Amino acid sequence: MPAPALTCPARCGAPPAAADKAPLSKSLLLVPGALSVLLALLVPHCQRFFVYDLQAVKDDFQIWRFICGRIICLDLKDTFCSSLLIYNFRIFERRYGSRKFASFLLGSWVLSAGLDLILVEAVRYSFGFSAAPSLPSGFLAPVFALFVPFYCSIPRVQVAQILGPLSITNKTLIYILGLQLFTSGSYIWIVAISGLISGLCYHSRMLQVDQVLCVPGWMARLFSCTLEPIFSSSEPTAEARVGMGATVDIQRQQRMEQLDRQLMLSQFAQARRQRQQQGGIINWNRLFPPLRQRRNTNYQDGRRSEQPASPPLEVSEEQVARLMEMGFSRGDALEALRASNNDLNVATNFLLQH
């Protein structure tokens, strides 16, 4: 049965536990990069076999260049930028599973090959000059294609604000890396445009390409048995490291925040199981309050219990809209934001992991 495209996990099953180790992303990060360095330093005379020469494809019918010329980067700058982007895009393999991630890469890789030829011919007929016979080599088009689900699925969280309306978000660095890769060569914009178009077609399931260009189940099981033991690593520990040089108060605050999130996740999982057993709507208000609030409550005198209950927390409509864009209902988004004290990251983790 074909694997669906990269869509919101609210509409599809949870990824397997092995996807948390991202074996496919690690293999794409290590193997092509090592081969690129090997070709550049040790066997440069073999680089001619990995040139993405569209003129040779069209005139001499060297179809094999569609494969060899679109796997290994001959430019080390492109290798470095694409490796960093693949490392950051491993979140999709962890979220949707290795098979869906591999199907997206395969579909965008195949579609972009035909789009490269179309764009080169369109440039020649529209502007009256021929583009370079050779385009930049490497696994570049699928990397650009991953910007489509990255833009559509990953929420934008502001980190800092500079120069008035300009702001730095959690996605700024990824876009800067993509811009660096986009400007690394004269004709790489053709590969970038074909990658973006193929990613858009696959992500939107245009003409049901996600059902045609997908990784078969037997192949996914085969690579799971071969790649996973080699490239998988142990899952990160539940306790994150504290930044070096932090004071005792900062360390204590970070520990409290981490315990808050773990407590909220465990309570949400319990409420979810109760809803599956009994039916009905999750009562998010029964989740434990954050530890900081309980700590502050302990320092209050007995008169606090006589005070009336506080009004419900105001929820940002912008954050509700972002969660709804990911496919969650408005009710679940509102309750998740209230339970997480308007923390978009915690609310997203609630809805994605459960």
Side-chain angles (χ1 to χ4, degrees), residues 260 263-268 270 283-291 293-294 339-340 350:
D260 287 347
L263 185 58
M264 289 180 184
L265 288 174
S266 63
Q267 291 301 311
F268 175 77
Q270 182 180 0
N283 187 5
W284 295 77
N285 296 324
R286 298 178 63 182
L287 298 177
F288 286 140
L291 294 179
Q293 295 180 7
R294 296 205 306 275
S340 60
F350 279 158

Side-chain angles (χ1 to χ4, degrees), residues 75 77-78 134-136 140 144 179-192:
D75 191 338
K77 299 190 300 296
D78 295 346
S134 299
L135 294 180
L140 300 177
F144 284 107
L179 182 62
Q180 173 66 30
L181 184 61
F182 183 80
T183 57
S184 62
S186 300
Y187 293 98
I188 197 172
W189 61 270
I190 295 179
V191 179

